[in-house]
Amino acid sequence: MADIAATRPRSPLTLARSGGNAGVYLAFVVLLVALGFAAPRFFTFGNLTDVLRQAVPIAVIAFGATFVIGMRGIDLSVGSTLALSGLVTANLIVLGYPVPLACAGGIAVGAVIGLVNGILITKVGITDFIATMAIMVISRGIVMVYTQGIPIVGASDPAFRMIGQSYVGGVPVPVILTAIVFAIAFYLLYYTRFGRFVLSIGSNPDAARLVGIPTDKIKIAVYVLVGVLSAFAGVLLTSRLEAAMPEAGQGYELDVIAAVVIGGTGLSGGRATLFGTAVGAVLMAVVRNGLNLLNVNTFWHQVVIGTIILIAVAADRFSRRQKA
């Protein structure tokens, strides 16, 4: 079982240095330098701001996915949850509902999807891969049936636009909200019993159950958490676009997994690093932005992302074998 003391670092700085993710920090710096030479526009203030804004949805979801993967689970429904939650939020805005109620409605959809995932996995006994893949397909199908493939436009309420488009001191509000989500997730994972239980389950589910950890309840709570964060990312994206796009979130599950694994969270569970996840999410945005600046065909983007995932997983396996 995971060392409980290890899940409560003395300070955030101590945690940033731990986790075996120094390689991703180095890769991140090398990538920034390389793009600075290859694409001089990369280091302009406007482009860097765009990179951070593009990283927001993936980062927000990835913070929740860090709990899931640290628990030795997987959630493939995050992109579809984002799309369905954004659709509900935009539709409520267009119908004239108050912005707080519309956002709460969208986030509630994410919570329900997470709850369904958790129940299917813990109570019905369906594997996490199959359960979340089925929910992914169902949620995306609902979005396509309702919209008929046509975006829901008109979500232009000024108060709603502020969530995804305004700035505070030159910093985009979505970036500030992402930092708040990170702080909350950091506290939950490293300074509460909930977080220690999550990593204990990921380290050894049977041992965790034997020592009295309510594994089913923790698993359901984790899937609800990632559902809520996926929905919140959907609200942020919908506010930025002022519309709900039927194809929103497609492929996000791959980017989220890549961000989490690249950051140092092991697919075999028992360890997680939110600092690494944050760097991984920004790195993914930097890669996509750099490919665009270099005029690389968009069809090659998935090839690059897939290669990054493969390298990250292989490095994780190699690191574990070396420690063993």
PDB file of all heavy atoms in Angstrom, residues 155-171:
ATOM      1  N   ALA A 155     -25.166  32.047 -26.873  1.00  0.00           N
ATOM      2  CA  ALA A 155     -24.852  32.093 -25.443  1.00  0.00           C
ATOM      3  C   ALA A 155     -23.937  33.282 -25.191  1.00  0.00           C
ATOM      4  O   ALA A 155     -22.770  33.147 -24.821  1.00  0.00           O
ATOM      5  CB  ALA A 155     -24.182  30.792 -25.013  1.00  0.00           C
ATOM      6  N   SER A 156     -24.484  34.473 -25.408  1.00  0.00           N
ATOM      7  CA  SER A 156     -23.671  35.691 -25.384  1.00  0.00           C
ATOM      8  C   SER A 156     -24.034  36.619 -24.243  1.00  0.00           C
ATOM      9  O   SER A 156     -23.818  37.826 -24.319  1.00  0.00           O
ATOM     10  CB  SER A 156     -23.815  36.426 -26.721  1.00  0.00           C
ATOM     11  OG  SER A 156     -25.191  36.662 -27.019  1.00  0.00           O
ATOM     12  N   ASP A 157     -24.629  36.092 -23.201  1.00  0.00           N
ATOM     13  CA  ASP A 157     -24.919  36.906 -22.018  1.00  0.00           C
ATOM     14  C   ASP A 157     -23.613  37.520 -21.508  1.00  0.00           C
ATOM     15  O   ASP A 157     -22.613  36.810 -21.340  1.00  0.00           O
ATOM     16  CB  ASP A 157     -25.561  36.026 -20.939  1.00  0.00           C
ATOM     17  CG  ASP A 157     -26.003  36.830 -19.731  1.00  0.00           C
ATOM     18  OD1 ASP A 157     -25.122  37.350 -19.014  1.00  0.00           O
ATOM     19  OD2 ASP A 157     -27.225  36.939 -19.510  1.00  0.00           O
ATOM     20  N   PRO A 158     -23.574  38.844 -21.249  1.00  0.00           N
ATOM     21  CA  PRO A 158     -22.318  39.487 -20.821  1.00  0.00           C
ATOM     22  C   PRO A 158     -21.700  38.839 -19.590  1.00  0.00           C
ATOM     23  O   PRO A 158     -20.482  38.678 -19.509  1.00  0.00           O
ATOM     24  CB  PRO A 158     -22.752  40.933 -20.537  1.00  0.00           C
ATOM     25  CG  PRO A 158     -23.956  41.146 -21.405  1.00  0.00           C
ATOM     26  CD  PRO A 158     -24.661  39.825 -21.443  1.00  0.00           C
ATOM     27  N   ALA A 159     -22.539  38.467 -18.623  1.00  0.00           N
ATOM     28  CA  ALA A 159     -22.012  37.838 -17.414  1.00  0.00           C
ATOM     29  C   ALA A 159     -21.406  36.480 -17.728  1.00  0.00           C
ATOM     30  O   ALA A 159     -20.392  36.088 -17.128  1.00  0.00           O
ATOM     31  CB  ALA A 159     -23.130  37.687 -16.377  1.00  0.00           C
ATOM     32  N   PHE A 160     -21.997  35.772 -18.675  1.00  0.00           N
ATOM     33  CA  PHE A 160     -21.466  34.462 -19.056  1.00  0.00           C
ATOM     34  C   PHE A 160     -20.169  34.622 -19.840  1.00  0.00           C
ATOM     35  O   PHE A 160     -19.222  33.837 -19.645  1.00  0.00           O
ATOM     36  CB  PHE A 160     -22.503  33.704 -19.884  1.00  0.00           C
ATOM     37  CG  PHE A 160     -22.104  32.299 -20.229  1.00  0.00           C
ATOM     38  CD1 PHE A 160     -21.822  31.383 -19.232  1.00  0.00           C
ATOM     39  CD2 PHE A 160     -22.016  31.885 -21.551  1.00  0.00           C
ATOM     40  CE1 PHE A 160     -21.445  30.078 -19.538  1.00  0.00           C
ATOM     41  CE2 PHE A 160     -21.648  30.589 -21.866  1.00  0.00           C
ATOM     42  CZ  PHE A 160     -21.362  29.686 -20.851  1.00  0.00           C
ATOM     43  N   ARG A 161     -20.090  35.613 -20.706  1.00  0.00           N
ATOM     44  CA  ARG A 161     -18.865  35.851 -21.478  1.00  0.00           C
ATOM     45  C   ARG A 161     -17.679  36.156 -20.572  1.00  0.00           C
ATOM     46  O   ARG A 161     -16.543  35.792 -20.888  1.00  0.00           O
ATOM     47  CB  ARG A 161     -19.065  37.006 -22.461  1.00  0.00           C
ATOM     48  CG  ARG A 161     -19.928  36.682 -23.657  1.00  0.00           C
ATOM     49  CD  ARG A 161     -19.613  37.613 -24.817  1.00  0.00           C
ATOM     50  NE  ARG A 161     -19.662  39.017 -24.416  1.00  0.00           N
ATOM     51  CZ  ARG A 161     -20.736  39.796 -24.500  1.00  0.00           C
ATOM     52  NH1 ARG A 161     -21.864  39.292 -24.985  1.00  0.00           N
ATOM     53  NH2 ARG A 161     -20.697  41.052 -24.126  1.00  0.00           N
ATOM     54  N   MET A 162     -17.938  36.816 -19.456  1.00  0.00           N
ATOM     55  CA  MET A 162     -16.842  37.186 -18.548  1.00  0.00           C
ATOM     56  C   MET A 162     -16.098  35.962 -18.036  1.00  0.00           C
ATOM     57  O   MET A 162     -14.888  36.017 -17.796  1.00  0.00           O
ATOM     58  CB  MET A 162     -17.397  37.986 -17.367  1.00  0.00           C
ATOM     59  CG  MET A 162     -17.840  39.394 -17.710  1.00  0.00           C
ATOM     60  SD  MET A 162     -18.490  40.258 -16.253  1.00  0.00           S
ATOM     61  CE  MET A 162     -17.024  40.267 -15.223  1.00  0.00           C
ATOM     62  N   ILE A 163     -16.804  34.840 -17.881  1.00  0.00           N
ATOM     63  CA  ILE A 163     -16.180  33.638 -17.331  1.00  0.00           C
ATOM     64  C   ILE A 163     -15.046  33.155 -18.223  1.00  0.00           C
ATOM     65  O   ILE A 163     -13.980  32.763 -17.741  1.00  0.00           O
ATOM     66  CB  ILE A 163     -17.231  32.517 -17.153  1.00  0.00           C
ATOM     67  CG1 ILE A 163     -18.314  32.960 -16.179  1.00  0.00           C
ATOM     68  CG2 ILE A 163     -16.564  31.227 -16.683  1.00  0.00           C
ATOM     69  CD1 ILE A 163     -19.465  31.979 -16.075  1.00  0.00           C
ATOM     70  N   GLY A 164     -15.255  33.189 -19.510  1.00  0.00           N
ATOM     71  CA  GLY A 164     -14.272  32.616 -20.426  1.00  0.00           C
ATOM     72  C   GLY A 164     -13.469  33.614 -21.225  1.00  0.00           C
ATOM     73  O   GLY A 164     -12.506  33.212 -21.905  1.00  0.00           O
ATOM     74  N   GLN A 165     -13.825  34.912 -21.148  1.00  0.00           N
ATOM     75  CA  GLN A 165     -13.177  35.866 -22.034  1.00  0.00           C
ATOM     76  C   GLN A 165     -12.529  37.056 -21.348  1.00  0.00           C
ATOM     77  O   GLN A 165     -11.744  37.773 -21.979  1.00  0.00           O
ATOM     78  CB  GLN A 165     -14.200  36.400 -23.058  1.00  0.00           C
ATOM     79  CG  GLN A 165     -14.825  35.322 -23.923  1.00  0.00           C
ATOM     80  CD  GLN A 165     -15.794  35.893 -24.947  1.00  0.00           C
ATOM     81  OE1 GLN A 165     -15.668  37.027 -25.390  1.00  0.00           O
ATOM     82  NE2 GLN A 165     -16.777  35.098 -25.334  1.00  0.00           N
ATOM     83  N   SER A 166     -12.838  37.309 -20.096  1.00  0.00           N
ATOM     84  CA  SER A 166     -12.330  38.508 -19.427  1.00  0.00           C
ATOM     85  C   SER A 166     -10.934  38.283 -18.853  1.00  0.00           C
ATOM     86  O   SER A 166     -10.427  37.153 -18.811  1.00  0.00           O
ATOM     87  CB  SER A 166     -13.294  38.945 -18.319  1.00  0.00           C
ATOM     88  OG  SER A 166     -13.478  37.908 -17.383  1.00  0.00           O
ATOM     89  N   TYR A 167     -10.324  39.373 -18.413  1.00  0.00           N
ATOM     90  CA  TYR A 167      -8.969  39.349 -17.855  1.00  0.00           C
ATOM     91  C   TYR A 167      -8.956  40.065 -16.507  1.00  0.00           C
ATOM     92  O   TYR A 167      -9.746  40.976 -16.269  1.00  0.00           O
ATOM     93  CB  TYR A 167      -7.987  40.068 -18.791  1.00  0.00           C
ATOM     94  CG  TYR A 167      -7.753  39.364 -20.112  1.00  0.00           C
ATOM     95  CD1 TYR A 167      -8.677  39.440 -21.143  1.00  0.00           C
ATOM     96  CD2 TYR A 167      -6.585  38.642 -20.328  1.00  0.00           C
ATOM     97  CE1 TYR A 167      -8.462  38.803 -22.351  1.00  0.00           C
ATOM     98  CE2 TYR A 167      -6.348  38.008 -21.543  1.00  0.00           C
ATOM     99  CZ  TYR A 167      -7.291  38.094 -22.550  1.00  0.00           C
ATOM    100  OH  TYR A 167      -7.064  37.461 -23.740  1.00  0.00           O
ATOM    101  N   VAL A 168      -8.030  39.659 -15.662  1.00  0.00           N
ATOM    102  CA  VAL A 168      -7.778  40.345 -14.397  1.00  0.00           C
ATOM    103  C   VAL A 168      -6.279  40.606 -14.314  1.00  0.00           C
ATOM    104  O   VAL A 168      -5.488  39.670 -14.220  1.00  0.00           O
ATOM    105  CB  VAL A 168      -8.244  39.506 -13.184  1.00  0.00           C
ATOM    106  CG1 VAL A 168      -7.834  40.203 -11.879  1.00  0.00           C
ATOM    107  CG2 VAL A 168      -9.749  39.296 -13.212  1.00  0.00           C
ATOM    108  N   GLY A 169      -5.915  41.877 -14.393  1.00  0.00           N
ATOM    109  CA  GLY A 169      -4.497  42.222 -14.374  1.00  0.00           C
ATOM    110  C   GLY A 169      -3.722  41.629 -15.527  1.00  0.00           C
ATOM    111  O   GLY A 169      -2.544  41.278 -15.375  1.00  0.00           O
ATOM    112  N   GLY A 170      -4.359  41.504 -16.681  1.00  0.00           N
ATOM    113  CA  GLY A 170      -3.706  40.946 -17.854  1.00  0.00           C
ATOM    114  C   GLY A 170      -3.709  39.432 -17.913  1.00  0.00           C
ATOM    115  O   GLY A 170      -3.248  38.849 -18.894  1.00  0.00           O
ATOM    116  N   VAL A 171      -4.244  38.784 -16.873  1.00  0.00           N
ATOM    117  CA  VAL A 171      -4.298  37.317 -16.843  1.00  0.00           C
ATOM    118  C   VAL A 171      -5.717  36.867 -17.177  1.00  0.00           C
ATOM    119  O   VAL A 171      -6.679  37.345 -16.565  1.00  0.00           O
ATOM    120  CB  VAL A 171      -3.898  36.771 -15.453  1.00  0.00           C
ATOM    121  CG1 VAL A 171      -3.956  35.238 -15.442  1.00  0.00           C
ATOM    122  CG2 VAL A 171      -2.512  37.265 -15.073  1.00  0.00           C
TER     123      VAL A 171
END
